[in-house]
């Protein structure tokens, strides 16, 4: 089995349009929440979200190209481009038959679907769909665009598992390289769901926060007063590479991936298992594969969406797995700053976890004041600011509708 490392990262998020700004704002506890600017929110119970700031597609794409790409395609291409440049990849000098793309989205071109259907239904004289409609909406189109843009002929696929999509995709990339079926894989996730139908749909499920008066602090993982998640958008990308290839290229290494767990709650289509059985098994498998004892884990970037049942079930899973050592493991809920990027969330949180391992800095959980009494008092949520702490092993957790559970284990690279 080959060793697998991360050699490049890229991101466009509600708190930074590149990795440098994203990481700096994470460490400084900046909230990405604001009033929705994309549409009139009068009809909706929620009027805020975590939008990307100062974004103009024409700063990245020409007008003709931008018309062919849904916003989720754009975000993913931007993040992947940064990750590829960060890794110093020169595809002219590499065997592109051994380089692949596993890039995920939970929904795909949601904005295009809404826009095209509304325009078709309202146009009485010449109703028509765009010739780009299908290629803009299918979730796998982003992986295809990346493969075509860079001429990458290795594995090319898209994992769609709701909010665990890009974590499942990252584990797939890890496995492909570990098994020797690829040298490098561009992995990540992207989502652009801040549209009327998404806000309306999640409102109908009572999943979104409706704390419109206190929108900056509405995402408050584990807090007693949390009332739902805050919708976010954006993308993250990671260059996943065999250690052999990275050393040959003299590449910088952020962290090593040593384990991945993919399981199911097998409980309910939207609700997590009350005792967090799927989450427990995913973390347990990631640690088992990595050959690590639970007591060796230093940090967990939790899924922590700021929903009532979800935060409690994840905390119970951590309590069951780590037992008496739970109080020694630092836990962050970075969705308190970015909001919930659905299929893109695993990628940006994997980047944050890699950087914690690389820098020995842990981002805070903001907005959380009083921990829910249903959550173990041993849960060591990082509050009050960033934390400097040696991080040798760290987990990143993500869970999705359908009962999908995924956890990936990172290790500090020491040669």
């Amino acid at each position: 089995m080959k060793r697998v490392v991360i050699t490049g990262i890229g991101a466009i998020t509600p708190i930074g349009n590149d990795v440098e700004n994203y990481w700096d704002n994470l460490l400084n506890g900046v909230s990405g929440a604001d009033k929705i600017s994309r549409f009139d929110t009068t009809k909706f119970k929620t009027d805020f979200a975590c939008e990307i700031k100062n974004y103009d597609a024409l700063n990245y794409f020409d007008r003709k190209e931008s018309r062919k790409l849904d916003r989720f395609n754009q975000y993913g291409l931007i993040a992947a481009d940064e990750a590829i440049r960060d890794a110093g990849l020169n595809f002219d000098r590499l065997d592109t038959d051994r380089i692949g793309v596993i890039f995920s989205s939970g929904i795909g071109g949601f904005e295009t679907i809404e826009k095209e259907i509304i325009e078709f239904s309202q146009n009485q004289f010449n109703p028509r769909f765009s010739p780009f409609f299908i290629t803009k909406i299918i979730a796998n189109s982003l992986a295809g665009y990346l493969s075509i843009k860079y001429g990458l002929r290795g594995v090319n696929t898209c994992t769609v598992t709701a909010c665990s999509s890009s974590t499942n995709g990252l584990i797939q990339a890890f496995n492909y390289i570990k098994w020797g079926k690829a040298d490098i894989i561009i992995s990540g996730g992207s989502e652009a769901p801040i549209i009327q139908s998404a806000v309306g749909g999640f409102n109908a499920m009572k999943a979104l926060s409706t704390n419109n008066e206190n929108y900056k602090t509405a995402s408050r993982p584990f807090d007693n007063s949390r009332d739902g998640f805050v919708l976010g958008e954006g993308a993250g990308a990671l260059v996943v590479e065999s250690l052999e290839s990275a050393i040959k290229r003299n590449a910088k290494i952020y962290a090593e991936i040593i384990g991945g767990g993919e399981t199911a709650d097998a409980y309910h289509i939207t609700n997590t298992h009350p005792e967090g059985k799927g989450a427990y098994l995913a973390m347990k498998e990631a640690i088992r594969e990595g050959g690590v004892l639970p007591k060796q884990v230093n940090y967990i970037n939790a899924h922590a969406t700021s929903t009532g049942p979800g935060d409690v079930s994840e905390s119970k899973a951590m309590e069951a797995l780590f037992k008496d050592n739970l109080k020694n493991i630092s836990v962050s809920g970075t969705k308190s700053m970015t909001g919930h990027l659905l299929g893109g969330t695993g990628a940006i949180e994997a980047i944050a976890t890699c950087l914690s391992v690389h820098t020995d800095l842990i981002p805070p959980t903001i907005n959380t004041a009083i921990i829910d009494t249903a959550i173990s008092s041993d849960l060591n949520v990082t509050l009050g600011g960033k934390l400097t702490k040696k991080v040798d092993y760290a987990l990143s957790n993500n869970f999705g509708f359908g009962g999908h559970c995924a956890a990936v284990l990172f290790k500090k690279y020491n040669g």
Side-chain angles (χ1 to χ4, degrees):
M1 296 290 184
K2 293 182 180 291
R3 291 172 67 183
V4 182
V5 294
I6 303 297
T7 57
I9 49 178
I12 178 166
T13 78
I15 59 169
N17 292 7
D18 54 36
V19 167
E20 181 180 1
N21 285 293
Y22 164 56
W23 181 237
D24 185 61
N25 285 325
L26 269 187
L27 293 178
N28 286 291
V30 174
S31 171
D34 212 332
K35 295 296 185 180
I36 292 171
S37 65
R38 303 265 170 79
F39 58 88
D40 182 358
T41 59
T42 305
K43 299 177 182 178
F44 300 91
K45 295 177 182 177
T46 297
D47 66 7
F48 64 96
C50 289
E51 295 180 341
I52 288 174
K53 316 300 187 294
N54 305 313
Y55 179 74
D56 183 346
L58 297 181
N59 290 333
Y60 302 94
F61 310 96
D62 64 39
R63 191 172 300 279
K64 183 178 179 180
E65 188 178 19
S66 68
R67 288 178 57 231
K68 297 179 181 179
L69 300 169
D70 184 88
R71 195 184 292 263
F72 99 97
N73 292 135
Q74 295 172 18
Y75 293 161
L77 286 162
I78 291 165
D81 180 69
E82 183 185 9
I84 288 165
R85 286 186 283 106
D86 183 46
L89 295 177
N90 183 342
F91 295 123
D92 292 334
R93 297 181 180 180
L94 297 167
D95 182 359
T96 51
D97 292 354
R98 299 272 306 166
I99 303 176
V101 180
I102 301 178
F103 223 93
S104 303
S105 182
I107 299 173
F110 211 173
E111 184 176 48
T112 295
I113 293 171
E114 180 180 271
K115 177 178 178 290
E116 291 278 333
I117 290 174
I118 289 173
E119 289 182 356
F120 183 86
S121 64
Q122 291 180 346
N123 191 330
Q124 298 178 22
F125 302 103
N126 186 29
R128 59 188 287 275
F129 282 93
S130 164
F132 307 119
F133 176 60
I134 298 300
T135 53
K136 288 173 74 173
I137 69 171
I138 51 179
N140 63 298
S141 62
L142 179 50
Y145 278 126
L146 286 166
S147 170
I148 293 164
K149 179 177 180 178
Y150 299 106
L152 309 179
R153 291 181 293 273
V155 59
N156 185 261
T157 191
C158 166
T159 305
V160 180
T161 49
C163 305
S164 65
S165 293
S166 46
T167 305
N168 285 117
L170 182 59
I171 295 169
Q172 275 196 26
F174 164 62
N175 287 336
Y176 264 89
I177 293 172
K178 178 182 68 177
W179 297 331
K181 299 182 75 171
D183 297 328
I184 300 170
I185 293 177
I186 314 304
S187 182
S190 182
E191 208 80 85
I194 303 177
I195 59 172
Q196 296 178 77
S197 49
V199 172
F202 284 123
N203 270 157
M205 296 174 65
K206 303 187 186 303
L208 284 185
S209 170
T210 56
N211 194 349
N212 295 322
E213 293 183 2
N214 303 295
Y215 59 89
K216 283 287 186 186
T217 61
S219 183
R220 46 186 74 171
F222 307 115
D223 191 272
N224 189 56
S225 65
R226 68 194 184 281
D227 74 326
F229 74 83
V230 177
L231 199 59
E233 63 175 354
L238 303 96
V239 175
V240 188
E241 186 168 2
S242 72
L243 178 60
E244 180 183 356
S245 172
I247 290 173
K248 186 177 180 180
R249 295 195 309 108
N250 195 30
K252 69 174 175 289
I253 294 171
Y254 288 100
E256 185 172 358
I257 303 179
I258 60 172
E262 300 177 285
T263 60
D265 259 335
Y267 174 72
H268 189 273
I269 197 66
T270 57
N271 292 337
T272 51
H273 191 283
E275 300 299 318
K277 286 190 176 181
Y280 167 84
L281 291 171
M283 289 186 288
K284 182 180 179 182
E285 173 57 21
I287 290 170
R288 184 208 63 77
E289 183 176 28
V292 171
L293 298 173
K295 67 181 181 181
Q296 292 177 271
V297 174
N298 311 113
Y299 171 58
I300 300 173
N301 189 297
H303 187 56
T305 57
S306 189
T307 55
D311 288 2
V312 172
S313 67
E314 186 176 10
S315 72
K316 287 186 176 180
M318 290 188 279
E319 184 180 9
L321 182 60
F322 297 104
K323 299 182 172 62
D324 293 340
N325 195 53
L326 181 61
K327 59 182 175 292
N328 298 318
I329 300 171
S330 297
V331 176
S332 290
T334 51
K335 289 183 183 70
S336 58
M337 292 169 274
T338 66
H340 190 357
L341 277 62
L342 309 183
T345 201
I348 67 164
E349 289 169 8
I351 289 169
T353 310
C354 277
L355 287 171
S356 286
V357 170
H358 188 63
T359 64
D360 291 324
L361 292 170
I362 292 173
T365 305
I366 67 170
N367 308 328
T368 300
I370 301 173
I371 302 292
D372 189 339
T373 54
I375 290 171
S376 170
S377 59
D378 285 341
L379 189 71
N380 185 10
V381 183
T382 306
L383 303 174
K386 66 186 177 185
L387 176 67
T388 300
K389 174 182 178 178
K390 193 163 190 293
V391 181
D392 289 321
Y393 299 98
L395 278 166
S396 181
N397 291 341
N398 287 109
F399 318 121
F401 286 172
H404 309 291
C405 300
V408 59
L409 179 64
F410 297 95
K411 175 186 176 183
K412 189 181 294 293
Y413 175 69
N414 295 311

